[in-house]
Amino acid sequence: MGKKIKFIQGNEVVVEAALYAGLDFYAGYPITPSTEIAEHMSVRLPKIGGKFIQMEDELASLCAIIGASLTGHKVMTATSGPGFSLMQESLGYAIMAEIPCVIVNVQRGGPSTGLPTSVAQGDVGQALWGTHGDHAIVAMTASNHQDMFSVTVDAFNIAETYRTPVILLFDEVVGHMRERIFMPEPGEIPLMERLRTSIKEGIDYHPYLPREDGRLPMSDFGGVHRYNVTGLAHDMWGFPSNNPKVVHGLLRHLIDKINNNANQLLRYKEYYLEDARTVLISYGASARSALHVVESRRRRRGERIGLLELQTLWPFPFSIVRQKCANAKYVVVVEMNMGQLLQPVRMAIDPPEKVYLANRIDGVFITPTDIRSVLRLIQGKGM
Amino acid sequence: MDGILDWGILDWKIRNPEIRNPKSEIEVIMAVKDYIRKRFFPHMWCPGCGHGIVLNSLLRAVEQLGMRKNEIVMVSGIGCSSRISGYVDFHTLHTIHGRALAFATGVKMSRPELNLIVPMGDGDALSIGGNHFIHAARRNINITAVVMNNRIYGMTGGQYSPLSGFGTLATTAPYTNIDQDFDVAELSQAAGASFVARTTTYHVKQVIDLLKQAIQHKGFSVVEVLSQCPTYFGRKNKIGDAVEMMEHFKENTTPKGSKAKKENPDLIERGIFVQKDIPEYCAEYSKIIEKVSG
Ligand SMILES: Cc1ncc(C[n+]2csc(CCOP(=O)(O)OP(=O)(O)O)c2C)c(N)n1
Ligand code: SF4
Ligand SMILES: [Mg+2]
């Protein structure tokens, strides 16, 4: 762990981590509670020769970073719910055209303009199915600044490795809170650089022909290989095709490259799960309260209770959830929405009836007391 | 090669003896073929579609400027017009409806040494993409926008666009269109574009010439090319086939500032409306980098 300690806001951590990962192009549009990311980027990027641009809206922001990614840059945009909604069409484009990019959504209360300055985790489902058509997506989150840093670096690594957009689903609490962070030293977290083709000029390069390992080496726009990039279903040259075999192969590739690598994409933390009869499953800011409950109950009454904190939300880690909850009598999903992660957890666990929800949807941060009252009800100890 | 032969321009040249010149035609084909992706022909445009003329003119402009294929990025949106990017042997980015200029902004800003050409349909550029259009113009980022204006949504089958104009007919304006249209040249100027020009597919030499000037211009340049969609606009509005539509362009346009315009204010002006030297976006950002880095 780095020696340099900082006491900064979560949104600033995202900026530091992105720069650490090699980001040098950022486009965005201001929106609470993500705006500080754009502000810090506008200060930092030109100092290192990178580029910052404030676009006319979020539609344009995601389009611009896709364009910049194609010229060989590591790119990111950040927004919150309303902006993330606007980005859905180009998110699908990035999936279809396999463009590495990172999209941060610092969640606030919705739907619509909702609660601009309040916390929520209501965009979890949208991150997966917000854009139209069949696809797979990577979405990650974190509950504290140290983890925000490493998850953000991971997001860039994953985007480059799998040629995919990666969504970082933070929330208003972690984004705005200040806490201590040990800044990793250069080289401390491994970085993935873009896989570029070794095919020489004049030899036919197939931008959309996966190698045996499923990866597709890229060639920067402006380089020696000229090819077509499109959001239409396309063949190995990137040229539009509606040949059923080509289309089937493309869709399978887009989905398999993520879902078949779910283990590589999986990030989670566990606390006291060895003997836990009650397992809390949580993520993001909610996991802070969940951990507090777990630790105080173990300390005060020796209760066998533990926490599974998910950092990778999509692809959903079915097997790890199933495995970690195998001996649990109760499983309680703690989140700030009406149960968006409760659904897949119930699918993972047999019988689903032992999975409960402890939530809050009023813009107020879920507290240990909120979780405790749900636990008392479930465990039959009254209020 | 087969596909090239049904490009609208050849068809039209043969029917227009005044510029017919078989020898140079062959030369044109030879020069232009180096810039196309033969693999992707035949193209998808209807016979007589004006978009092929724009493609041909664009390739000739690029060829006459002696540009290298590797230094050109063509970004397009969605529409019949936007398919142009599939046929050219540049770096090509065929994006989503209306957002080509936003993608192009990212490409240009991240690699300012590349030449960005963005062909768009009238709906693509000025309806769904209108906001990106005015903001790219306002920034004066060095991109060449080509508005292939056929006054209709060709790709989706003939609905009215913001450039169809009052009194026209379209599949979604069956009783007559009551939407007023934009004047692309005026709009571009007001939004801050530093090079603005207009011509038509009838005036091929002028298309080539204006595209050359636009590409060489340092700043945001707009070339509006009135293009014919015989399949929908022509048929719906009973203007006739491609040739008749082009004759219509000839009769209803006039060089900018001409006497004819004073006598008949309904004529559409062709030529350059703005050409000015103002700070370019990427160059200005480089200055910021220079100032704050190191
Ligand atoms: C978001 C979105 N809305 C609508 C469409 C359907 N659509 C495709 S092309 C087009 C209009 C094309 O008209 P124009 O831009 O004028 O190009 P043309 O086909 O006339 O060359 C529309 C509405 C789409 N592809 N995406
Ligand atoms: S529908 Fe119109 S614009 Fe589209 S290819 Fe046919 S003629 Fe051209
Ligand atoms: Mg049109």
Side-chain angles (χ1 to χ4, degrees):
Chain A
M1 206 176 277
K3 290 177 280 292
K4 203 163 105 201
I5 300 172
K6 280 194 173 185
F7 190 78
I8 52 176
Q9 214 187 35
N11 283 342
E12 206 177 337
V13 172
V14 177
V15 173
E16 295 300 329
L19 295 171
Y20 183 96
L23 167 116
D24 59 359
F25 189 95
Y26 179 96
Y29 189 82
I31 182 168
T32 307
S34 77
T35 305
E36 296 83 2
I37 297 179
E39 288 174 343
H40 285 289
M41 283 292 185
S42 73
V43 175
R44 297 295 303 278
L45 276 169
K47 290 187 178 170
I48 57 159
K51 310 275 170 71
F52 166 90
I53 184 169
Q54 181 171 308
M55 294 299 288
E56 51 272 22
D57 55 31
E58 290 87 347
L59 304 157
S61 301
L62 182 48
C63 298
I65 67 164
I66 291 171
S69 181
L70 273 166
T71 66
H73 296 267
K74 286 193 179 174
V75 301
M76 179 174 113
T77 184
T79 186
S80 188
F84 191 52
S85 291
L86 289 183
M87 287 179 185
Q88 295 305 317
E89 191 191 6
S90 24
L91 172 61
Y93 184 88
I95 292 170
M96 188 60 139
E98 303 190 65
I99 311 292
C101 57
V102 175
I103 301 154
V104 180
N105 175 357
V106 186
Q107 296 169 91
R108 66 189 220 181
S112 190
T113 310
L115 296 160
T117 55
S118 303
V119 70
Q121 294 176 314
D123 307 345
V124 172
Q126 181 192 25
L128 173 60
W129 289 126
T131 195
H132 60 278
D134 228 346
H135 60 269
I137 197 104
V138 185
M140 302 170 88
T141 183
S143 63
N144 61 70
H145 288 12
Q146 204 66 53
D147 291 348
M148 264 179 126
F149 195 104
S150 47
V151 160
T152 301
V153 175
D154 265 355
F156 280 90
N157 287 344
I158 290 168
E160 293 296 337
T161 306
Y162 299 96
R163 277 190 69 165
T164 183
V166 176
I167 294 160
L168 287 173
L169 273 182
F170 297 131
D171 54 64
E172 192 275 336
V173 166
V174 291
H176 277 163
M177 154 184 102
R178 283 175 191 277
E179 71 177 358
R180 201 173 56 155
I181 174 173
F182 294 91
M183 300 302 285
E185 301 285 335
E188 197 177 317
I189 309 179
L191 300 182
M192 282 302 296
E193 293 314 321
R194 184 165 297 184
L195 181 66
R196 290 187 167 83
T197 182
S198 54
I199 291 175
K200 300 267 177 311
E201 180 164 16
I203 298 172
D204 211 0
Y205 159 67
H206 300 109
Y208 290 101
L209 180 64
R211 300 197 306 197
E212 219 148 81
D213 62 0
R215 294 188 68 187
L216 294 92
M218 293 185 78
S219 175
D220 297 346
F221 264 36
V224 297
H225 298 294
R226 296 176 302 276
Y227 57 95
N228 190 50
V229 176
T230 179
L232 286 166
H234 48 269
D235 61 20
M236 64 185 177
W237 286 284
F239 199 74
S241 169
N242 51 16
N243 174 334
K245 262 198 191 142
V246 171
V247 176
H248 180 88
L250 172 65
L251 271 260
R252 280 315 298 244
H253 160 74
L254 293 179
I255 291 164
D256 290 352
K257 74 173 181 182
I258 304 296
N259 290 349
N260 291 354
N261 288 303
N263 285 340
Q264 267 73 43
L265 301 169
L266 178 57
R267 308 283 184 276
Y268 67 94
K269 291 174 110 175
E270 56 175 284
Y271 302 89
Y272 317 105
L273 288 182
E274 313 75 37
D275 65 348
R277 300 285 286 146
T278 301
V279 174
L280 305 188
I281 297 181
S282 192
Y283 54 94
S286 303
R288 298 174 76 95
S289 294
L291 182 60
H292 185 89
V293 169
V294 165
E295 291 190 327
S296 74
R297 285 202 160 202
R298 290 188 79 91
R299 198 170 53 237
R300 289 213 209 127
R301 20 169 152 165
E303 186 182 331
R304 291 191 286 166
I305 182 168
L307 167 68
L308 174 61
E309 181 190 341
L310 298 179
Q311 292 178 328
T312 303
L313 302 183
W314 311 119
F316 187 76
F318 284 99
S319 56
I320 211 76
V321 167
R322 191 173 300 128
Q323 189 190 321
K324 298 291 175 189
C325 299
N327 300 318
K329 188 163 175 221
Y330 306 110
V331 176
V332 183
V333 178
V334 182
E335 55 186 338
M336 286 180 277
N337 57 49
M338 283 301 284
Q340 297 190 13
L341 222 61
L342 175 76
Q343 309 289 342
V345 170
R346 282 204 167 135
M347 281 160 70
I349 285 172
D350 185 36
E353 290 75 26
K354 71 177 182 184
V355 185
Y356 299 86
L357 175 66
N359 71 338
R360 246 192 125 129
I361 54 160
D362 56 357
V364 179
F365 182 42
I366 191 164
T367 62
T369 311
D370 297 327
I371 301 169
R372 274 189 212 109
S373 39
V374 173
L375 284 175
R376 273 198 292 275
L377 274 178
I378 299 167
Q379 295 167 343
K381 296 184 185 121
M383 286 292 275
Chain B
M1 283 302 289
D2 290 351
I4 304 171
L5 293 176
D6 40 76
W7 282 10
I9 180 155
L10 296 182
D11 214 28
W12 168 74
K13 273 181 150 187
I14 287 155
R15 294 202 217 166
N16 285 269
E18 59 188 80
I19 60 130
R20 188 172 167 186
N21 180 348
K23 192 159 157 272
S24 71
E25 241 167 59
I26 304 292
E27 278 164 18
V28 166
I29 291 169
M30 295 314 286
V32 155
K33 86 169 196 313
D34 296 335
Y35 290 97
I36 62 165
R37 292 173 170 146
K38 277 179 251 143
R39 180 187 284 142
F40 303 139
F41 279 80
H43 60 69
M44 52 77 75
W45 293 314
C46 308
C49 176
H51 293 346
I53 300 178
V54 179
L55 169 60
N56 195 321
S57 310
L58 192 102
L59 296 182
R60 293 224 251 162
V62 164
E63 191 254 339
Q64 287 173 22
L65 289 173
M67 295 168 81
R68 289 178 43 241
K69 295 191 277 187
N70 278 348
E71 63 194 26
I72 306 173
V73 179
M74 184 182 279
V75 185
S76 68
I78 297 291
C80 296
S81 38
S82 293
R83 287 300 190 95
I84 194 170
S85 59
Y87 305 128
V88 294
D89 190 18
F90 309 139
H91 302 282
T92 58
L93 183 54
H94 177 241
T95 66
I96 53 179
H97 195 27
R99 323 263 170 241
L101 283 168
F103 283 85
T105 298
V107 174
K108 181 69 185 175
M109 216 194 158
S110 62
R111 278 200 68 177
E113 70 277 18
L114 296 173
N115 293 293
L116 270 288
I117 303 176
V118 182
M120 292 171 285
D122 43 319
D124 200 45
L126 290 150
S127 188
I128 192 165
N131 200 37
H132 308 306
F133 186 87
I134 57 173
H135 288 281
R138 175 181 60 78
R139 285 186 195 105
N140 194 38
I141 187 164
N142 191 1
I143 291 174
T144 301
V146 184
V147 181
M148 300 158 74
N149 179 10
N150 56 14
R151 305 176 66 190
I152 202 92
Y153 287 169
M155 175 129 275
T156 43
Q159 301 75 30
Y160 65 90
S161 94
L163 294 173
S164 295
F166 190 88
T168 53
L169 293 170
T171 58
T172 46
Y175 309 116
T176 190
N177 185 17
I178 55 165
D179 264 34
Q180 299 291 343
D181 57 347
F182 280 132
D183 179 317
V184 181
E186 275 176 21
L187 179 77
S188 308
Q189 287 173 70
S194 51
F195 181 98
V196 178
R198 175 194 292 136
T199 184
T200 87
T201 50
Y202 179 87
H203 305 89
V204 188
K205 284 214 173 90
Q206 191 173 33
V207 182
I208 299 167
D209 174 55
L210 292 176
L211 285 173
K212 277 164 70 180
Q213 295 197 55
I215 291 168
Q216 284 176 301
H217 177 76
K218 297 266 170 298
F220 191 73
S221 51
V222 179
V223 180
E224 179 191 12
V225 184
L226 304 184
S227 173
Q228 73 276 16
C229 170
T231 308
Y232 296 112
F233 192 83
R235 192 180 297 164
K236 268 273 157 200
N237 290 284
K238 305 203 167 48
I239 304 178
D241 65 8
V243 174
E244 283 164 297
M245 289 185 84
M246 291 174 76
E247 263 155 18
H248 194 77
F249 290 154
K250 182 184 162 215
E251 281 150 24
N252 290 289
T253 62
T254 182
K256 193 173 174 293
S258 69
K259 218 169 89 205
K261 174 74 181 174
K262 286 190 199 100
E263 283 156 15
N264 180 3
D266 287 344
L267 290 178
I268 299 166
E269 287 179 300
R270 288 183 287 109
I272 297 174
F273 294 80
V274 183
Q275 190 167 22
K276 59 182 178 189
D277 194 12
I278 54 173
E280 192 275 328
Y281 193 79
C282 298
E284 293 306 307
Y285 199 86
S286 298
K287 288 184 197 162
I288 290 181
I289 293 180
E290 226 163 84
K291 197 159 105 193
V292 302
S293 67

